[in-house]
Amino acid sequence: MIAVDDGVPAPLGAHFDGRGVNFALFSEHATAVDICLFEPGERHETRTVRLPCRTDDVWHGYLRGVLPGQLYGYRVHGPWDPGNGHRFNPSKLLLDPYAREIRGKIRWHDALYGHRRGGREDRIDRRDSAVYMPRCVVTAPEVPNLALDPVRRPLADTVVYEAHVKALTRTHPAIPEPERGTYAALAHPAIIEHLVKLGVTALELLPIQGFVDDRFLVDKGLVNFWGYQPLSYFAPDPRYLGEGGLGSLKAAIRELNAAGIETWLDVVYNHTAEGDHTGPTLAFRGIDNASYYKLDPADRHRNIDCTGCGNTFDVSHPRVMQLVLDSLRHWVTAYGIAGFRFDLASSLGRSPLAFSPQAAFFQAVAQDPVLARVKMVAEPWDIGEGGYQLGGYPRGWSEWNDQFRDATRGFWKGDSGTLAKVTQGLTGSREVFAPSRRSPLASVNFIASHDGFTLADTVAYEAKHNEANGEDNRDGHGHNVSRNYGVEGDTDNPAVLSLRARQKRNMLATVMLAQGVPMLLMGDERSRSQGGNNNAYAQDNPTSWMDWSTDPDPALSGFVSNLLALRRSQPALRRRRFFTGTLIDPDQPLRDVHWLAPEGTEMGESHWSDDGLQAFGMQIGNDGEPGDRLLMLFNAGEGACTFHLDPVVGGPWWPVFDTGEPEGASPPDAPAYASGAAVPLAGRTVLVLTAAGAGAGIRAGWASGR
């Protein structure tokens, strides 16, 4: 039997205390809130309870006798007044924003819309939507588990691997079929062994917070595979649960932790799946549209859209910010998440409309005792006015550096005028991040991500090929900074394949040899292709899945592994402070970063202003340890060149890494180069040399399994 008491207004959500459940829901403009209880398999609620109390705009009630596993949803009463931003419609079943588990999925129907779809927007639709909606689930209390504490690896030692739960695991032959594509598969020894062997330290998962398949995609037989249409910020998306339930995700993160790998989440707090003012009423719109979304001050029936997805979550509202912060803390404390990548993060800093690094959200994160210990990474743009904010985030934040990506791609494909940009990226993009008093670790460097061409497609396609998305190839951006080297797409021409293999290695080396935090896209180490699709967000099929059965470049994984072993062995590649260009020794003209022209002199103004220069050298030392030095020689030109080592850089130098080698490691018998020597450098090559004696130690480390 269920008895109803007043309950308490905090915490928000549904919380079981051993005897019953306290329900609490924020809605500033509602006039009443009903909790709807469902039995498994029933199309409609079996009991409706009016929440009896309202405290500081939180509606709450305690239902004694309700147990974990109970299915529920809300119906919220209030004015139907779209002109003033209010879209209350109690005919629509709504998800609890704080639900820890969601069961079922949306079945698209016009009854899910608060207004008469296709008709006048101001006409309310009173059809019941419950039969088409998933249910929230009351969960048991979360017990702190010390085993879920993340590894907390220093950011300077971090290498990020961006992946999708299903795409990474769907086809691996060692994973039992029922587990493939689920959270549990992330913990399979075959997956963990692959990540450990590569040398990555953080697995960044594309969105797993509960999300929606857009109606227009479902109508075309597609899905939102990437997951960037969120609806439930506390619940893992049920499509990846498998037989293990919520515990399978916690178990996977625990196993990754044991292997020394942090788990990061790509999170989407900039918009929700409810779309623009013509979209469905699934949760926030029906709970309190005027509080949760930014509305156009001149026309409050419309949303402000800084995201390209129809709406913008109003994180400047105190209760909306509370939800985001509560959600982030939940993923840290309940699941052991060690880092977050924020999609379209500029929208989080709009207070209320203009971006500010002093926005309340950033300040709240900085002082939060849980979140202040977590790695925060911004996608530093949205599509609103002033939305591109690379370098504009506050201390404590890192950012995806798309300028690094474009400069690196352009340099290696032979674009003129890219030298200054690629060298800026190699030094940690000081010009971008130093003004905000941050270090090179603010720059997350990458050559490819989920959004755009894969590494293999960057050297195989010059135009996007997105026809499978059903939008006549109009979707996806056209700025790919790519080159096909004579053939668009697949080829069996050995010369073209050899050149593509070399260029993949050159771009990977540039990422891993640069100051900052390197990121690798899932499958780039296996030359994964999407057939030229640079926007595969709707492709839940082999286009997106990792193909574990074939490897078109079998030496590439070993190349990445050796490259990351080199990075781990060389503190000079993992500096925590920017180079300054100052002299290491006042009596010697050698700088902490010393740029070399091929003719054997320090690069001067004439070199930096030469738009056609495609070869340079870079000598660096570790911060505070000038004796720990590396010499890196880059040649993006088609033809070979000879580097004359400036006597200032000293010698001898041992070659340790060469992108002309299939797996990267220089031959053990490679000769050392004395001070002032001439170093032959093949076209389209990176050669890394280290101080005398160190090279043999690095190669020995590789041979012993790193």
Side-chain angles (χ1 to χ4, degrees), residues 210-515:
F211 61 91
V212 172
D213 294 321
D214 313 64
R215 184 172 188 170
F216 79 95
L217 290 175
V218 173
D219 289 345
K220 292 189 292 187
L222 300 171
V223 297
N224 191 314
F225 186 58
W226 285 353
Y228 290 93
Q229 284 290 31
L231 192 62
S232 182
Y233 288 119
F234 290 77
D237 194 274
R239 72 192 71 195
Y240 308 131
L241 285 175
E243 298 176 356
L246 297 180
S248 64
L249 176 57
K250 295 182 181 181
I253 294 171
R254 185 182 295 110
E255 292 301 314
L256 288 163
N257 280 343
I261 299 172
E262 296 179 331
T263 303
W264 296 10
L265 292 188
D266 192 333
V267 288
V268 188
Y269 296 108
N270 58 79
H271 77 281
T272 79
E274 291 182 307
D276 66 12
H277 62 284
T278 66
T281 296
L282 309 172
F284 308 99
R285 175 163 288 137
I287 294 170
D288 195 343
N289 183 69
S291 293
Y292 279 107
Y293 295 120
K294 291 185 183 293
L295 304 181
D296 185 345
D299 185 2
R300 288 181 58 81
H301 93 284
R302 293 182 177 272
N303 298 90
I304 291 175
D305 182 10
C306 299
T307 66
C309 300
N311 62 59
T312 304
F313 218 41
D314 190 4
V315 181
S316 66
H317 188 290
R319 286 292 188 177
V320 181
M321 185 192 300
Q322 178 190 359
L323 180 144
V324 174
L325 295 173
D326 287 347
S327 169
L328 292 169
R329 281 191 294 268
H330 170 71
W331 288 99
V332 175
T333 58
Y335 287 92
I337 296 302
F340 297 98
R341 180 266 189 189
F342 291 80
D343 180 66
L344 299 181
S346 292
S347 67
L348 303 177
R350 293 184 177 275
S351 301
L353 299 180
F355 176 86
S356 171
Q358 286 80 45
F361 174 73
F362 298 133
Q363 295 185 39
V365 167
Q367 61 78 44
D368 188 282
V370 173
L371 301 180
R373 298 180 291 122
V374 175
K375 299 177 178 72
M376 298 286 179
V377 178
E379 183 183 41
W381 54 79
D382 63 18
I383 69 165
E385 183 177 354
Y388 187 77
Q389 289 291 332
L390 181 68
Y393 282 72
R395 298 177 72 180
W397 284 73
S398 298
E399 304 174 32
W400 271 25
N401 191 342
D402 64 320
Q403 292 183 14
F404 179 99
R405 176 199 63 199
D406 292 351
T408 300
R409 290 187 181 188
F411 177 73
W412 286 109
K413 84 180 188 72
D415 290 350
S416 64
T418 55
L419 177 66
K421 280 291 186 183
V422 80
T423 54
Q424 173 181 291
L426 284 166
T427 57
S429 301
R430 176 189 178 93
E431 294 83 351
V432 176
F433 298 107
S436 55
R437 300 176 62 199
R438 287 181 289 166
S439 76
L441 302 177
S443 182
V444 175
N445 303 322
F446 62 102
I447 197 65
S449 68
H450 70 276
D451 189 4
F453 279 158
T454 66
L455 176 65
D457 287 353
T458 299
V459 297
Y461 295 91
E462 294 185 3
K464 61 183 180 178
H465 297 270
N466 298 355
E467 290 80 7
N469 295 349
E471 299 180 44
D472 298 322
N473 206 33
R474 294 188 302 269
D475 63 303
H477 55 78
H479 182 66
N480 295 300
V481 197
S482 60
R483 187 173 176 183
N484 64 23
Y485 299 99
V487 180
E488 184 76 354
D490 292 338
T491 182
D492 56 5
N493 185 314
V496 173
L497 291 174
S498 176
L499 181 52
R500 289 177 177 177
R502 177 75 68 94
Q503 292 292 65
K504 285 182 292 186
R505 286 162 171 78
N506 287 329
M507 287 187 281
L508 285 169
T510 306
V511 172
M512 302 305 172
L513 297 174
Q515 303 298 318

